[in-house]
Amino acid sequence: MIRVAVLGAKGRMGSASVAAIDAADDLEAVAQVDIADSLDAITAVGAEVALDFTQPDAALANVRWCVEHGIHVVVGTSGFDEAKLQEVRDLLGGSPTVGVLVVPNFSIGAVLLMQFAATAAPYFESVEIVEMHHPDKVDAPSGTAVRTAELIAKARDAARAAPIPDATTTDPDGARGAKVAGVPVHAIRARGYVASQEVVFGGVGETLTLRHDSHDRESFMPGVLTALRAVSSRPGLTVGLESVLPVSG
Ligand SMILES: NC(=O)c1ccc[n+]([C@@H]2O[C@H](COP(=O)([O-])OP(=O)(O)OC[C@H]3O[C@@H](n4cnc5c(N)ncnc54)[C@H](O)[C@@H]3O)[C@@H](O)[C@H]2O)c1
């Protein structure tokens, strides 16, 4: 039985995770921690692995606490850009014994979309990302969009692709979106969405649109459970569900 502490346990993802963990034969949610609770509850009940679904401004401190207390951590919270990932590497040090697995998206469809996007990236002049989420989400762009943009940029750089063409010279209100790794990202926040993403590629006379929709938070749970089972056998920092799934990364 893997003893799991869920951080952000009262939130949307945290409460869905507690239910999924308790329904699994080999996992047990032994601690449910939310904003008013002390992290000491994690060690008090002997949890081996923590799952963080809190807020971007809280998650890094939680990871630090867990690493310092020898607890493996799966991080689902958004906002782990390269600077934060480097802080995690620094925390873990040269010969880590603790595993930290940062997963921008736990759904298999979203992970595959990111891989398909990286495959397509060198073949198209233009690329933009549109991500759509529920209006209660506090951060933009989504962690998935950031990761997708980074993977696209890496594939374009490797192929020595020319810069994305764009004649815009006037955009006082930011209508062309945020630039993440040079890729325009547009964020929609509307009731009815859980998490969706489109990647639009443009070439001469054609466009290719890749789209993924999570209709329900259930879509994340198989990935959450896979990550919780894998993290203790991967000391150091690992990024992306593809690292622990049998799909090529
Ligand atoms: N990786 C993925 O696949 C994935 C999927 C969906 C959402 N997310 C991300 O997960 C995070 C949580 O999303 P949500 O929709 O569940 O949010 P939510 O607002 O419903 O829940 C967050 C919970 O964390 C608690 N919290 C805040 N600070 C805390 C702290 N310091 N310690 C303990 N608890 C704290 C809040 O009280 C709240 O109950 C967001 O960053 C979101 O973008 C990731």
Side-chain angles (χ1 to χ4, degrees):
M1 213 44 130
I2 303 171
R3 297 169 68 76
V4 182
V6 179
L7 282 67
K10 291 187 180 161
R12 287 174 288 261
M13 290 298 291
S15 53
S17 299
V18 169
I21 290 164
D22 282 341
D25 292 339
D26 57 337
L27 299 157
E28 191 182 357
V30 290
Q32 298 183 31
V33 178
D34 208 89
I35 194 158
D37 305 315
S38 162
L39 294 178
D40 292 334
I42 301 172
T43 41
V45 293
E48 309 148 64
V49 176
L51 172 66
D52 191 290
F53 272 125
T54 59
Q55 283 178 8
D57 58 1
L60 185 59
N62 291 340
V63 171
R64 179 176 297 113
W65 191 96
C66 288
V67 169
E68 285 169 354
H69 289 79
I71 312 277
H72 307 286
V73 201
V74 173
V75 182
T77 307
S78 303
F80 275 72
D81 56 12
E82 190 41 46
K84 278 193 185 174
L85 292 176
Q86 189 53 48
E87 281 196 55
V88 176
R89 282 186 205 101
D90 293 346
L91 270 175
L92 287 162
S95 46
T97 50
V98 172
V100 178
L101 175 50
V102 176
V103 181
N105 200 307
F106 284 102
S107 95
I108 183 68
V111 169
L112 287 172
L113 183 147
M114 287 188 248
Q115 292 193 1
F116 297 153
T119 301
Y123 299 100
F124 292 89
E125 262 185 275
S126 301
V127 56
E128 309 220 354
I129 296 172
V130 187
E131 55 98 325
M132 306 124 212
H133 284 81
H134 57 88
D136 305 315
K137 182 172 174 59
V138 294
D139 56 306
S142 71
T144 305
V146 171
R147 176 96 171 131
T148 308
E150 288 170 353
L151 292 172
I152 288 169
K154 195 171 157 199
R156 286 176 61 91
D157 284 352
R160 294 170 200 246
I164 297 169
D166 182 0
T168 310
T169 53
T170 308
D171 179 16
D173 298 319
R176 293 287 297 115
K179 292 277 190 327
V180 180
V183 179
V185 178
H186 311 268
I188 291 173
R189 295 290 173 264
R191 195 67 70 200
Y193 286 112
V194 173
S196 296
Q197 171 161 282
E198 272 188 21
V199 182
V200 182
F201 291 101
V204 176
E206 64 178 339
T207 57
L208 169 68
T209 303
L210 304 176
R211 180 174 174 123
H212 172 257
D213 299 279
S214 279
H215 298 291
D216 192 286
R217 289 184 179 82
E218 283 295 306
S219 64
F220 302 115
M221 293 305 131
V224 168
L225 301 185
T226 300
L228 290 170
R229 291 178 181 123
V231 66
S232 61
S233 59
R234 297 185 150 261
L237 174 67
T238 306
V239 181
L241 189 69
E242 61 276 19
S243 314
V244 295
L245 281 181
V247 293
S248 58

